[in-house]
Amino acid sequence: MSRIIIGMSGGVDSSVAALLLKEQGLECAGVFMYNWEEKDDSGVCCAQEDFDDVRRVCDKIGIPYYTVNFVKEYYERVFSYFLKEYEAGRTPNPDILCNKEIKFSAFLNFARQMGADKLATGHFARIGEANGEYTLLRAADENKDQTYFLYQIGQEALSMAMFPVGGLTKPEIRAIAREAGLPVSEKKDSTGVCFIGERNFKKFLSGYLPAQPGEMVTPEGKVVGRHDGLMYYTLGQRRGLGIGGSGDGRRWFVVGKDLVNNRLIVQQGEDSPLLYSTSCEIEDLHWLSGHAPALDGEEFPCMARLRYRQPLQAARAVIHGDKARIVFDAPQRAITPGQAAVLYQGEVCLGGGPVGSADSQ
């Protein structure tokens, strides 16, 4: 009989994943990962609360449970990258690197050491296989699809991965949990970056990186205020600028960063041409199949997603080595350096890479 290790977070998705596998008569064990050891602003250790939920769920469905500590690996492989990117004025997505380096690398190795044949998680994604090649497929619930966060894993991980809830919608998952009497059936979904959670982002980041305040200027160079540090702002941001009511009365938006002069560039009006791009360059390409979907210099049609839950955007891509240029059918708002651009053809997630630069209209 196959032995399956289930990565359990204490949330309803991974709990239902464990339940479904147990109901299939498979030999399962739940494992909770400690990736971050720090209390939130109220002094509560969220990881301990989540593990308590894992324990209650596993007791309810009748499977053993364990913990594993990846705090050191997480800090070295994920968090240090997160800080480095912010220091460079970019906006990274650590959840993507967490899947690559922790869940489907360090945790996968741990599962093998425990004699597992498969590693299951509660991700909203599906897996296909043909002629020995595995594909990552979009989830049935398009609003919850998490292939965006999984684009950097590889064939080895896909060959061992199981996503038991990938064919279900969120309401269906909650209904299954309620019917089974799982104690997390109504638990709120987690939001934000895992190690920040509900905390104030600016306060959190200031504890790790020194802030360098500077001028807030219009594209023409007129000084309209002061910023607290470029790392605290992202393209398209309108909240927290502290200059409301000035100018012509319209809302102000971040439209760029002048890293050389430590200036935050802002402009009034959400329809600013500086916020829109028709193309971008992505770098450090990773293809889930292990090979590019087209030859170097050859254009191919695709769909692209520039942020989690963004509807897929029609585009064309041309690969040049470990970089690619993506040209969109319609202008895209606030393409942000450091964020991932993930490419698709039909239901298949091809891969992608972080945005290096975007071109204005």
Side-chain angles (χ1 to χ4, degrees):
M1 181 186 293
S2 295
R3 177 171 169 79
I4 302 169
I5 293 297
I6 309 158
M8 298 185 67
S9 65
V12 67
D13 302 329
S14 58
S15 297
V16 168
L19 173 68
L20 294 175
L21 294 173
K22 172 67 174 178
E23 288 180 341
Q24 292 174 35
L26 298 169
E27 183 186 351
C28 306
V31 178
F32 178 81
M33 287 177 282
Y34 282 98
N35 294 333
W36 190 257
E37 292 179 342
E38 191 173 317
K39 295 178 180 179
D40 64 16
D41 289 341
S42 60
V44 175
C45 179
C46 299
Q48 185 57 50
E49 288 186 342
D50 289 337
F51 174 64
D52 289 342
D53 284 335
V54 169
R55 177 178 50 78
R56 284 190 284 266
V57 168
C58 289
D59 284 342
K60 176 70 177 177
I61 65 181
I63 63 172
Y65 55 89
Y66 308 91
T67 64
V68 62
N69 190 307
F70 291 130
V71 171
K72 181 175 181 289
E73 291 86 347
Y74 191 93
Y75 194 96
E76 291 175 351
R77 301 186 200 178
V78 179
F79 190 64
S80 60
Y81 170 84
F82 169 87
L83 293 179
K84 183 180 177 182
E85 285 289 277
Y86 267 105
E87 204 167 20
R90 290 157 60 102
T91 306
N93 192 315
D95 292 332
I96 291 172
L97 203 59
C98 179
N99 280 312
K100 176 190 176 186
E101 296 289 348
I102 306 300
K103 292 176 184 173
F104 292 97
S105 179
F107 188 43
L108 188 64
N109 291 334
F110 171 80
R112 282 203 193 91
Q113 290 167 11
M114 290 187 70
D117 301 294
K118 291 284 185 177
L119 173 62
T121 69
H123 282 102
F124 281 86
R126 296 175 298 130
I127 295 173
E129 189 270 330
N131 302 317
E133 183 174 298
Y134 293 85
T135 49
L136 180 65
L137 308 176
R138 286 155 51 199
D141 190 337
E142 184 66 20
N143 188 51
K144 290 289 187 178
D145 178 62
Q146 291 178 307
T147 53
Y148 179 86
F149 298 121
L150 295 166
Y151 87 90
Q152 284 195 359
I153 69 175
Q155 285 291 297
E156 184 180 10
L158 285 173
S159 71
M160 282 195 67
M162 296 179 75
F163 302 131
V165 302
L168 301 172
T169 64
K170 190 71 178 198
E172 288 172 335
I173 289 171
R174 290 208 180 272
I176 291 169
R178 280 193 292 269
E179 187 176 346
L182 298 186
V184 296
S185 61
E186 307 304 325
K187 186 175 181 178
K188 190 175 81 167
D189 290 345
S190 59
T191 58
V193 177
C194 52
F195 50 79
I196 299 174
E198 306 292 341
R199 282 179 294 185
N200 179 284
F201 175 75
K202 182 181 287 189
K203 181 179 176 182
F204 175 84
L205 198 58
S206 67
Y208 293 91
L209 292 175
Q212 296 182 346
E215 293 176 331
M216 200 179 288
V217 302
T218 66
E220 297 75 32
K222 179 184 176 182
V223 178
V224 293
R226 298 277 297 173
H227 68 77
D228 296 329
L230 294 181
M231 63 185 180
Y232 298 134
Y233 305 87
T234 189
L235 291 184
Q237 179 177 332
R238 68 175 178 84
R239 295 183 184 276
L241 300 183
I243 51 175
S246 60
D248 61 18
R250 290 182 299 165
R251 290 171 173 167
W252 290 89
F253 291 84
V254 175
V255 298
K257 295 181 181 183
D258 179 354
L259 300 177
V260 175
N261 298 300
N262 191 31
R263 285 180 153 194
L264 187 71
I265 305 170
V266 296
Q267 191 172 44
Q268 289 184 287
E270 59 185 326
D271 56 352
S272 167
L274 294 178
L275 274 178
Y276 288 84
S277 306
T278 53
S279 65
C280 69
E281 183 176 80
I282 61 177
E283 52 200 24
D284 299 326
L285 293 176
H286 176 83
W287 305 112
L288 284 146
S289 65
H291 53 81
L295 298 174
D296 251 33
E298 180 180 290
E299 184 178 273
F300 63 95
C302 60
M303 304 290 281
R305 181 169 279 149
L306 295 162
R307 60 188 65 88
Y308 177 48
R309 287 188 180 176
Q310 180 195 30
L312 290 171
Q313 304 294 306
R316 290 158 286 129
V318 180
I319 300 167
H320 298 287
D322 68 343
K323 297 182 180 181
R325 177 154 294 279
I326 315 299
V327 180
F328 298 93
D329 287 9
Q332 300 296 305
R333 189 176 188 274
I335 299 180
T336 306
Q339 289 282 285
V342 181
L343 308 183
Y344 298 79
Q345 282 184 334
E347 63 180 359
V348 177
C349 177
L350 300 173
V355 173
S357 61
D359 302 317
S360 299
Q361 289 191 86

